[in-house]
C-alpha cells in the first residue's frame, strides 16, 4: 500500500473511526505510537459522544464528531462523514468499534483501504451482535476477524483471523472481553502488515468491492 520499492518508506497516515468505549482505539493508538510502527494516527472521527473522544483528546489527536442527528438524511450524513475522514488525508481508514454501516460512496472514496475489526470468525456471525449470536448458536469457538470493508455488512476480504474458545460459564460480557484482548493486538498488527505489504488481501474470484 505505502510500500513502493523505488521510494523511501514514509509513515502512513491513519484515520480511525470509533463509537464505543474506545478500548480498541486506545490499544491501536498505543501500538501506532511505537517508533517502529509504519504509520501514525492523524485523526479520530466518531458518530456520537463517546469515551474514544477523551482518549484522543488526552493523546493530542484531533477529533471530529459527525452525529447523524445533526443531518437531515442519511445521504447528507454519509457525505459529511466522508468529508471529515477525507480531511485527514488518510492512507488507511481503521474502524475500531465503529457501529454504523458505511455507505457505498464512502467505500468508493477509500477503495481497499478501510480496515475493520469484527468480534467473530466471519463469515459466521456478521452484524452488530456477533458475540451474542455466537453464544446463542452454541458454537465452541468464535474469535476475531480483521477484514477490508466492501459494500456489504462484514463481507469484505479477510486479512487475519484468530480463534477464541467459548467457555461453559461465559456471558456475552466475559466472552467479548476475551475477544477484545485479541482484537487489541491483531488490529494494529494487521494494519501494519497491510501498510508494509506483509499482509495482502486474499484473491477473490468475483471481486465485489
Ligand atoms: C470491538 O469488539 C469491535 O470489534 C466491535 O466493537 C468493539 C469495540 O470495543 N465492533 P471498544 O468499544 O473499543 O471497547
Amino acid at each position: 500500500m505505502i510500500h513502493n520499492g523505488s521510494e523511501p518508506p514514509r509513515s502512513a497516515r491513519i484515520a480511525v473511526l470509533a463509537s464505543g468505549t474506545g478500548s480498541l482505539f486506545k490499544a491501536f493508538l498505543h501500538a501506532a505510537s511505537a517508533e517502529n510502527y509504519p504509520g501514525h494516527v492523524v485523526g479520530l472521527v466518531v458518530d456520537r459522544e463517546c469515551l474514544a473522544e477523551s482518549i484522543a483528546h488526552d493523546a493530542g489527536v484531533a477529533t471530529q464528531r459527525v452525529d447523524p442527528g445533526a443531518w437531515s438524511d442519511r445521504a447528507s450524513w454519509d457525505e459529511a462523514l466522508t468529508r471529515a475522514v477525507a480531511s485527514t488525508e488518510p492512507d488507511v481508514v481503521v474502524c475500531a468499534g465503529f457501529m454504523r454501516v458505511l455507505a457505498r460512496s464512502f467505500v468508493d472514496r477509500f477503495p481497499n483501504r478501510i480496515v475493520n475489526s469484527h468480534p467473530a470468525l466471519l463469515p459466521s456471525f456478521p452484524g452488530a451482535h456477533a458475540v451474542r449470536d455466537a453464544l446463542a448458536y452454541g458454537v465452541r469457538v468464535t474469535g476475531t476477524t480483521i477484514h477490508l470493508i466492501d459494500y456489504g455488512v462484514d463481507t469484505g476480504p479477510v486479512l487475519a483471523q484468530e480463534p477464541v474458545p467459548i467457555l461453559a460459564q461465559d456471558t456475552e460480557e466475559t466472552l467479548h472481553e476475551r475477544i477484545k484482548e485479541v482484537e487489541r493486538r491483531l488490529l494494529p498488527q494487521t494494519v501494519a502488515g497491510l501498510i508494509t505489504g506483509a499482509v495482502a488481501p486474499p484473491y477473490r474470484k468475483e471481486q465485489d468491492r
Side-chain angles (χ1 to χ4, degrees), residues 20-25 97 99 117-119 176 180 183:
T21 70
S23 77
L24 191 51
F25 170 60
M99 300 309 286
S117 178
H118 181 76
H176 200 171
K180 283 193 198 182
E183 294 186 86

Side-chain angles (χ1 to χ4, degrees), residues 145-176:
T145 302
I146 313 298
H147 66 98
L148 290 175
I149 288 195
D150 66 2
Y151 294 146
V153 176
D154 301 322
T155 53
V158 171
L159 301 173
Q161 288 186 303
E162 203 170 299
V164 174
I166 296 182
L167 309 177
Q169 67 276 19
D170 262 333
T171 61
E172 186 178 347
E173 289 69 35
T174 59
L175 177 57
H176 200 171

